[in-house]
Amino acid sequence: NKALFADAIKKIGYKFYRVLPARASLMLIALNLTHKDPVKRALFQNVDFRHGLSLAINRDEIIDLVFLGQGLPYQMVERPDSLLFDKETATQFTQHDVAGANALLDKAGITRRNAEGIRLTSDGQPLRITVECSTLLQPWVDSAELVKRYWRDVGVELFINTESTALANQHVSNNDHDAAIWSAAAGTDTIFDPKYYFPYSLDSYFAIPWARAYQNLPGAETPPAPAQRQQELYDKIQNNLLSVEQRISVFREIIAIAQEQFYTIGIVQPTDDYGIINERMRNVPDTMIASTQYPHPGTVTAVQR
């Protein structure tokens, strides 16, 4: 509606300001790397498998059909505006490459297929993944329907469990999920909420038991060495009087490990948004951050003439 507002606001003494969404991704898919089924756990922990599923997704089509052409194909990392932005992490495995996806899924060891073309797991069962999808945002549901088709094309059957956010969260917190869909915070404020970069909290949907170990909670499982290293690095950020430059350097190491581990599959980075403000308000910055930690304009002070 920005074009609609543009003419009207000038006449009544208002103006636009830029809003920078703090989200790294409007949608990501998190496979459960700590699945209770040992067959699925082993497969989901195979990074070639996750890379293959990512390549199978046609993000450009999702952006055009679901997000009205707004956004960029994007993995889980901070925005280009951030000091923690990493282009290689942002763009890895975002191209739509069916041949490449099939090659990686074969490399992951699931080469056999049934008569319908669905790949078979190591125990001979058709590979079926159920994703928990909250009805909170319709674009998640619509995007999941497209992902279902993309993954079917490479021999993976996806079932979409549309449900309330409360029920989806319950399945995830109980570690009863194959996969889950959510948006990704920490596009500009990662250091405050690093849940998608390593098993940090009960919102780290890809490995709740590993996060429970970090939080010293019941139901914990010891995470693998790379995740443990990330947890140690984050403790260093939290517990030492480091300079800003030192904190950034340490967190870049966390991001480098996250890039290698590829915990989640990102879909689309949100574009800039905008707000409308009275021209009589002074000291208003041209850009405000719409953070999940501190929604705008909560951190901004304006003075009226």
Side-chain angles (χ1 to χ4, degrees):
N1 294 323
K2 188 174 184 180
L4 179 65
F5 291 136
D7 290 334
I9 64 173
K10 294 178 183 178
K11 300 174 183 177
I12 57 175
Y14 283 77
K15 62 181 180 180
F16 291 118
Y17 63 89
R18 180 189 180 212
V19 175
L20 181 64
R23 295 193 177 277
S25 179
L26 285 174
M27 175 180 168
L28 59 76
I29 302 173
L31 294 178
N32 183 4
L33 308 186
T34 56
H35 204 290
K36 293 177 180 178
D37 177 357
V39 173
K40 282 189 173 179
R41 174 186 287 230
L43 182 59
F44 292 176
Q45 286 188 11
N46 189 314
V47 73
D48 290 322
F49 178 70
R50 301 197 298 278
H51 288 166
L53 291 183
S54 184
L55 284 182
I57 297 172
N58 188 339
R59 290 168 176 80
D60 289 329
E61 185 173 68
I62 289 176
I63 291 168
D64 285 342
L65 296 181
V66 179
F67 296 97
L68 305 178
Q70 303 296 305
L72 295 171
Y74 213 73
Q75 296 291 4
M76 182 62 231
V77 75
E78 289 215 354
R79 298 174 59 88
D81 316 72
S82 169
L83 293 173
L84 290 170
F85 172 68
D86 183 84
K87 184 177 181 180
E88 185 176 353
T89 302
T91 58
Q92 66 172 343
F93 303 101
T94 56
Q95 67 272 33
H96 182 220
D97 182 356
V98 174
N102 276 313
L104 284 167
L105 295 176
D106 289 345
K107 186 179 177 182
I110 44 173
T111 56
R112 295 182 299 151
R113 303 193 186 211
N114 64 14
E116 282 119 31
I118 301 300
R119 293 174 183 270
L120 302 178
T121 55
S122 61
D123 59 354
Q125 297 301 310
L127 177 51
R128 297 189 172 105
I129 298 173
T130 299
V131 64
E132 311 296 329
C133 184
S134 167
T135 54
L136 177 66
L137 293 179
Q138 186 62 36
W140 291 345
V141 180
D142 296 340
S143 298
E145 291 290 347
L146 292 171
V147 172
K148 179 178 181 177
R149 172 162 56 87
Y150 305 145
W151 285 2
R152 180 63 180 79
D153 289 343
V154 295
V156 178
E157 193 166 16
L158 180 68
F159 293 94
I160 306 166
N161 188 17
T162 53
E163 58 199 341
S164 68
T165 298
L167 190 55
N169 286 339
Q170 180 180 342
H171 290 155
V172 171
S173 63
N174 291 337
N175 201 37
D176 288 332
H177 62 302
D178 288 347
I181 287 173
W182 201 252
S183 62
T188 59
D189 50 13
T190 299
I191 289 179
F192 299 109
D193 189 14
K195 60 193 174 191
Y196 296 117
Y197 292 88
F198 68 91
Y200 166 71
S201 73
L202 298 186
D203 290 328
S204 299
Y205 291 173
F206 58 91
I208 295 293
W210 296 349
R212 286 181 176 276
Y214 184 62
Q215 298 290 343
N216 295 313
L217 295 173
E221 290 183 16
T222 301
Q228 289 188 53
R229 174 60 179 161
Q230 290 176 299
Q231 292 170 346
E232 292 167 359
L233 288 168
Y234 193 68
D235 284 342
K236 184 177 180 181
I237 290 175
Q238 294 287 83
N239 297 330
N240 290 278
L241 297 176
L242 302 181
S243 67
V244 172
E245 292 77 13
Q246 289 170 323
R247 289 175 187 272
I248 289 172
S249 177
V250 172
F251 208 94
R252 280 179 177 151
E253 188 174 345
I254 292 175
I255 291 175
I257 297 172
Q259 178 190 335
E260 293 175 355
Q261 296 304 306
F262 200 73
Y263 295 123
T264 61
I265 299 171
I267 304 296
V268 53
Q269 181 205 56
T271 56
D272 290 358
D273 206 343
Y274 65 90
I276 299 174
I277 195 163
N278 193 306
E279 290 181 342
R280 295 176 61 199
M281 302 299 289
R282 296 183 296 157
N283 300 337
V284 178
D286 294 331
T287 300
M288 299 189 202
I289 297 176
S291 171
T292 54
Q293 298 295 314
Y294 38 86
H296 81 289
T299 57
V300 178
T301 300
V303 179
Q304 188 174 27
R305 286 181 186 149

